[in-house]
Amino acid sequence: MGLCTYKISIKGTVQGVGFRPFIYQVATKFSLYGTVLNGTEGVEIVVNASKDKLEEFIEVIKSKLPPLASIDTLKVEQIEPKNFSDFQIIQTDSCGEKTVNIPPDISICKACEKELFDPKNRRYAYPFITCTHCGVRYSIIYDLPYDRGNTSMKFFKMCKACEEEYTNPMDRRYHAQPIGCWECGASLELRVDRCGVVDGAVELIKQGKILAIKGVGGYHLVCDATNEEAVLKLRERKQRPTKPFAVMVKDIEMAREWGEINADEEKLLTSIERPIVIVGKRTSRPTGIAPNLSRIGLFLPYTPLHLLLLTKLNRPLVATSANISDEPLATNRESIEKLSNVYDFLLDHNREIVNGCDDSVVMVVKGQTIMLRRARGYAPVKVELPFKLDKKVLAMGANQKSTIAIGFDNQVILSPHIGDLDSIGSVEYYEKNIESLKRIYGFEPEVVAYDRHPNYESSKYAKRYYGNSTLREVQHHYAHILGVMAEKQIRGKVFGVAFDGTGYGDDGNLWGGEFMVCDYEGYERVAHLNYFKLLGGVKAIKEPKRVALSLLFECYGDEVFKLNTPTTKAFTQQELKTQHIMWQKGLNAPLSSSVGRLFDAVASLTGVCQIMSFEGESGMRLEELYSNSVEGLYPFGYENGVVDVLPMIKEIIKEHNQQVAISKFFHTLVAMVEAVYEPYDLPLVLSGGVFQNRVLLELLFERFSNAVIGNIIPPNDGGIALGQVVGA
Ligand code: ZN
Ligand code: ZN
Ligand code: FE
């Protein structure tokens, strides 16, 4: 019966996910002889089989994949006959190109959860229990291939019992790199006299203390979410007056006590990625967690440690990323100790976090998942392009919510959310991320893509380390649109709407209300919001009243002094006069066409918010005041490619009902898109930070059923890097 030797090469997410033991088990079942190994290009199987058996074998591989595995390509070729007397898993080969995907960190699986709470199991209550189908990956990797020696588990020597599981291909823990137990693995330490570490931590949380707890990709600051006093203490110490906190709940039932959760949201909450999901808040809940907001970020425990804590505590926990404002997430003892004035106790462990990774944040709008922060569980992620890149590209991202990306062949690897590059510490963290991505993938770029903005730290980095011949500038909003086109594999022209905070425009002004016809070759800016001056430059970004005042000057000149509006009341007469001079002379008043700033202006004019305490606050507050029972919209101009908002501003200040003014403002934005898009018969692509606004997005989805937005990449600047790869 003609046995031949075949080589099967499989690429995709096939390492660190129990793929080889799975192949071993299938081969054994089919009584096939041969080998399987992990190469840097994926998994390679060599088997002796008849043609029929081979086909069946491949069919089973494809249809019965382990839960975390996925196959991108599977190639079969017949090779020189070889002799085998059994089926074996052979040692890793580490040459060749590194094209394997790094698996993200995912939540504890059901089988491990069962053992965690089983007093007879040897890992009972062990806070780091894991197997091939669950647990940490990305956060502990130094290098590929994904083997224990290339992770921060290399410092822990396996005990006999663990080693037996690790080397038994029939075991659930075969080659589960992070395995360990009470005997041999990572351990917890509560920096206080002990009484059983987890119990001790639970007791302290119940007493209203604030703890720093080391998780997967960094530390959290936590406290009892039902203890208003503790929550306020955390706010005060972290100097974070109003920005909402995320809440970790024990399970989906507890989530329902806190939030209004629909089926899509439940699916996300309980998914293996376990992101923070923004849901409607039950109104009876305390206000200190998300002041003035009707939405709340909830997530479920994702590590055995969190599961133990929450189960014993049986209360929700405020769990917010541990960092000092503008600094990156704390990932080691040294960085967390800088926050020792914020927490009372530290629950630490001795497994090193190699790659920091924040919690992911998502929301669901009209059934679509909108990524607000792509990190733990989802990242790093691979995106396939509709075409092949002829050079290796490194994309530096933007300055806020930065991410980086590397592109080769027809794929792009996107880093997790790195954060804002507003401090020396965060820039260092950013550089470390670039280095580790390059190291892990053995990647040297031939082209480096970066944002036009000369003052972005990411642009400075590009220019510091790479020569002119490799550098390519990509305009910010073009990159926003390109990112979505690449994710959705759209070929040909699209009509892109980039509503954004601010990004550097080709004319040196700060763009952000852009309508552009784009393809992969380039773009044409067909329309934009009228320019207005940002009084005080960067100050205007935090102070909506400055943007609003500028628009009032545009409308009324020095008549503004006689107006009686929430905006003008937020200044003294003297300040108004000074600002008027600055406005007239254009001193420290860059021009902007940003819709993000227009939101700020409306928040100020309606008296909702004059100075913001966190980025995006004005948009969130306007969302709250929108009412779908209000009809109608405001007039606006549209001529020669300029959308004029001044007629709308003049009407808004006449309206004394906040809800009416704000609802009509939203409707006007939709009408603006409608007016500009109308003559084009092209797909409509939405991107830019303003589309984090749920109300605006819902209205646009209702109006344009064909509107496309990213689901993998965030609409904010976290999506820029993907667009830059394609743009370069
Ligand atoms: Zn498991
Ligand atoms: Zn052990
Ligand atoms: Fe942007």
Side-chain angles (χ1 to χ4, degrees):
M1 225 195 30
L3 279 194
C4 295
T5 305
Y6 296 95
K7 182 167 136 187
I8 308 168
S9 313
I10 304 178
K11 289 185 188 179
T13 306
V14 290
Q15 289 189 5
V17 292
F19 201 79
R20 287 175 306 166
F22 160 69
I23 297 296
Y24 177 91
Q25 284 157 24
V26 179
T28 314
K29 212 167 99 204
F30 278 89
S31 311
L32 294 178
Y33 292 168
T35 57
V36 58
L37 65 85
N38 259 353
T40 42
E41 294 201 46
V43 162
E44 248 180 59
I45 307 165
V46 177
V47 282
N48 285 338
S50 66
K51 193 105 198 131
D52 293 354
K53 266 276 171 69
L54 179 78
E55 270 165 25
E56 269 182 70
F57 180 58
I58 291 172
E59 219 20 72
V60 172
I61 293 177
K62 283 183 177 164
S63 61
K64 298 244 153 70
L65 282 181
L68 304 182
S70 68
I71 295 179
D72 294 337
T73 61
L74 185 152
K75 209 173 73 201
V76 186
E77 56 187 322
Q78 194 174 339
I79 56 168
E80 285 287 291
K82 287 189 182 170
N83 263 325
F84 299 108
S85 53
D86 58 1
F87 195 90
Q88 273 188 16
I89 299 175
I90 47 182
Q91 214 24 63
T92 295
D93 164 17
S94 72
C95 39
E97 274 221 62
K98 298 183 177 184
T99 57
V100 188
N101 305 338
I102 310 171
D105 301 300
I106 51 136
S107 61
I108 180 171
C109 73
K110 284 281 163 223
C112 285
E113 184 176 335
K114 212 171 142 214
E115 292 177 358
L116 181 68
F117 292 105
D118 174 10
K120 290 194 289 293
N121 191 279
R122 72 184 185 90
R123 289 193 183 85
Y124 173 57
Y126 180 58
F128 303 95
I129 189 170
T130 183
C131 74
T132 321
H133 308 302
C134 74
V136 290
R137 299 285 187 275
Y138 171 72
S139 64
I140 59 165
I141 293 181
Y142 295 106
D143 202 354
L144 282 181
Y146 177 60
D147 267 338
R148 192 165 167 115
N150 279 335
T151 72
S152 56
M153 285 308 292
K154 69 180 175 187
F155 305 107
F156 300 94
K157 196 182 170 332
M158 268 182 270
C159 70
K160 250 192 123 68
C162 283
E163 186 151 11
E164 251 162 48
E165 294 169 334
Y166 184 83
T167 49
N168 175 5
M170 292 309 214
D171 195 278
R172 192 173 101 242
R173 294 197 168 85
Y174 178 77
H175 278 234
Q177 310 306 344
I179 84 167
C181 68
W182 285 111
E183 281 286 291
C184 68
S187 55
L188 281 181
E189 179 190 359
L190 182 61
R191 316 232 67 207
V192 61
D193 51 286
R194 56 221 55 218
C195 39
V197 177
V198 173
D199 291 330
V202 167
E203 207 35 58
L204 291 166
I205 293 167
K206 280 187 180 163
Q207 288 167 18
K209 303 289 188 217
I210 295 167
L211 269 65
I213 299 181
K214 190 176 185 182
V216 166
Y219 289 82
H220 281 132
L221 293 168
V222 313
C223 70
D224 180 353
T226 61
N227 183 334
E228 191 75 356
E229 208 179 307
V231 174
L232 295 180
K233 188 167 67 180
L234 177 56
R235 284 209 176 280
E236 201 182 294
R237 290 191 192 165
K238 221 189 162 202
Q239 290 171 28
R240 177 164 154 163
T242 53
K243 192 176 175 187
F245 284 137
V247 174
M248 188 185 273
V249 284
K250 189 178 81 171
D251 48 28
I252 193 72
E253 283 72 40
M254 193 181 273
R256 281 187 212 292
E257 289 169 28
W258 283 67
E260 308 280 352
I261 294 158
N262 67 30
D264 293 322
E265 290 160 343
E266 173 172 349
K267 220 164 145 190
L268 282 164
L269 277 168
T270 54
S271 67
I272 55 171
E273 291 89 0
R274 298 277 157 95
I276 295 171
V277 185
I278 311 288
V279 300
K281 182 167 81 174
R282 288 211 182 257
T283 44
S284 57
R285 290 298 153 189
T287 51
I289 288 166
N292 306 322
L293 297 176
S294 62
R295 308 196 71 80
I296 187 171
L298 297 178
F299 60 144
L300 264 53
Y302 48 92
T303 70
L305 170 59
H306 294 127
L307 199 55
L308 285 169
L309 281 170
L310 269 290
T311 305
K312 291 185 185 210
L313 189 65
N314 200 21
R315 286 178 205 178
L317 268 187
V318 163
T320 182
S321 303
N323 67 312
I324 312 176
S325 54
D326 293 345
E327 292 290 327
L329 178 65
T331 54
N332 55 33
R333 180 67 71 85
E334 194 195 338
S335 51
I336 191 65
E337 279 178 351
K338 289 187 190 148
L339 284 159
S340 56
N341 58 331
V342 179
Y343 59 82
D344 300 304
F345 297 97
L346 174 61
L347 181 58
D348 209 359
H349 66 69
N350 57 353
R351 188 183 64 207
E352 185 194 344
I353 296 172
V354 180
N355 304 300
C357 198
D358 228 315
D359 293 315
S360 293
V361 184
V362 304
M363 66 173 177
V364 179
V365 179
K366 297 252 165 209
Q368 287 204 51
T369 304
I370 309 292
M371 227 9 103
L372 299 174
R373 186 202 287 157
R374 165 172 283 275
R376 175 186 52 73
Y378 295 105
V381 70
K382 196 185 75 179
V383 177
E384 237 161 87
L385 300 177
F387 55 84
K388 232 176 149 97
L389 297 163
D390 35 282
K391 292 205 168 133
K392 291 181 177 177
V393 188
L394 169 66
M396 313 305 301
N399 206 67
Q400 304 309 113
K401 304 186 164 60
S402 70
T403 58
I404 50 171
I406 56 177
F408 47 86
D409 296 331
N410 66 335
Q411 43 188 301
V412 180
I413 313 280
L414 279 179
S415 80
H417 164 90
I418 298 170
D420 300 348
L421 307 180
D422 292 335
S423 67
I424 295 170
S426 61
V427 174
E428 279 170 6
Y429 181 68
Y430 171 76
E431 296 188 359
K432 203 180 141 206
N433 266 273
I434 298 172
E435 289 316 312
S436 58
L437 208 58
K438 279 168 62 186
R439 182 185 64 240
I440 293 173
Y441 283 97
F443 182 90
E444 255 324 307
E446 294 160 315
V447 170
V448 175
Y450 65 99
D451 195 279
R452 273 240 144 104
H453 202 305
N455 295 331
Y456 277 7
E457 288 301 330
S458 51
S459 309
K460 290 188 203 159
Y461 178 94
K463 290 176 200 161
R464 188 157 55 231
Y465 292 103
Y466 296 97
N468 273 336
S469 58
T470 45
L471 293 175
R472 300 277 188 291
E473 275 185 356
V474 183
Q475 201 279 324
H476 189 92
H477 303 98
Y478 180 42
H480 266 305
I481 303 297
L482 280 176
V484 180
M485 290 173 68
E487 179 195 316
K488 299 291 178 191
Q489 306 220 340
I490 300 176
R491 297 159 203 264
K493 281 195 189 316
V494 305
F495 184 85
V497 178
F499 283 180
D500 205 15
T502 50
Y504 199 77
D506 290 339
D507 54 6
N509 295 327
L510 297 170
W511 293 6
E514 312 307 311
F515 302 87
M516 32 179 58
V517 171
C518 309
D519 61 18
Y520 294 115
E521 304 302 317
Y523 72 94
E524 185 199 348
R525 187 190 193 204
V526 294
H528 61 88
L529 242 57
N530 58 304
Y531 284 127
F532 46 87
K533 293 172 184 166
L534 297 181
L535 291 170
V538 281
K539 258 194 183 162
I541 294 179
K542 287 190 176 149
E543 300 187 11
K545 62 178 186 178
R546 289 172 177 268
V547 188
L549 184 62
S550 166
L551 283 163
L552 290 178
F553 286 142
E554 294 282 347
C555 295
Y556 303 105
D558 54 13
E559 297 286 296
V560 168
F561 304 125
K562 294 183 215 148
L563 290 177
N564 181 22
T565 65
T567 301
T568 41
K569 275 191 269 182
F571 293 91
T572 64
Q573 275 297 316
Q574 189 50 48
E575 282 170 338
L576 286 179
K577 290 200 172 109
T578 316
Q579 290 302 327
H580 188 240
I581 295 168
M582 303 290 270
W583 177 80
Q584 273 181 320
K585 299 194 170 160
L587 290 171
N588 193 17
L591 290 176
S592 174
S593 56
S594 156
V595 176
R597 297 294 80 81
L598 183 62
F599 267 84
D600 293 350
V602 172
S604 164
L605 294 169
T606 52
V608 172
C609 176
Q610 303 300 344
I611 293 178
M612 295 198 283
S613 82
F614 62 93
E615 195 228 319
E617 184 177 4
S618 68
M620 284 189 196
R621 301 278 297 276
L622 293 192
E623 258 182 31
E624 294 293 319
L625 289 158
Y626 175 80
S627 159
N628 53 14
S629 62
V630 175
E631 280 178 35
L633 51 111
Y634 291 122
F636 61 92
Y638 176 40
E639 225 177 359
N640 301 325
V642 177
V643 177
D644 184 6
V645 302
L646 299 184
M648 173 178 78
I649 301 294
K650 288 177 184 163
E651 293 299 314
I652 287 179
I653 62 163
K654 287 187 212 152
E655 176 60 65
H656 294 290
N657 182 324
Q658 282 184 327
Q659 219 171 37
V660 171
I662 288 161
S663 307
K664 284 184 163 182
F665 162 65
F666 276 105
H667 296 156
T668 313
L669 282 176
V670 175
M672 287 173 182
V673 174
E674 204 169 348
V676 184
Y677 178 47
E678 206 257 332
Y680 294 91
D681 184 21
L682 294 171
L684 178 62
V685 170
L686 310 176
S687 191
V690 169
F691 293 112
Q692 296 174 103
N693 191 290
R694 154 187 306 271
V695 170
L696 179 61
L697 211 48
E698 271 173 358
L699 291 171
L700 285 170
F701 283 157
E702 270 164 29
R703 176 59 193 83
F704 306 99
S705 54
N706 65 334
V708 180
I709 191 162
N711 302 117
I712 296 177
I713 60 162
N716 58 45
D717 286 0
I720 288 277
L722 176 60
Q724 287 175 340
V725 170
V726 189

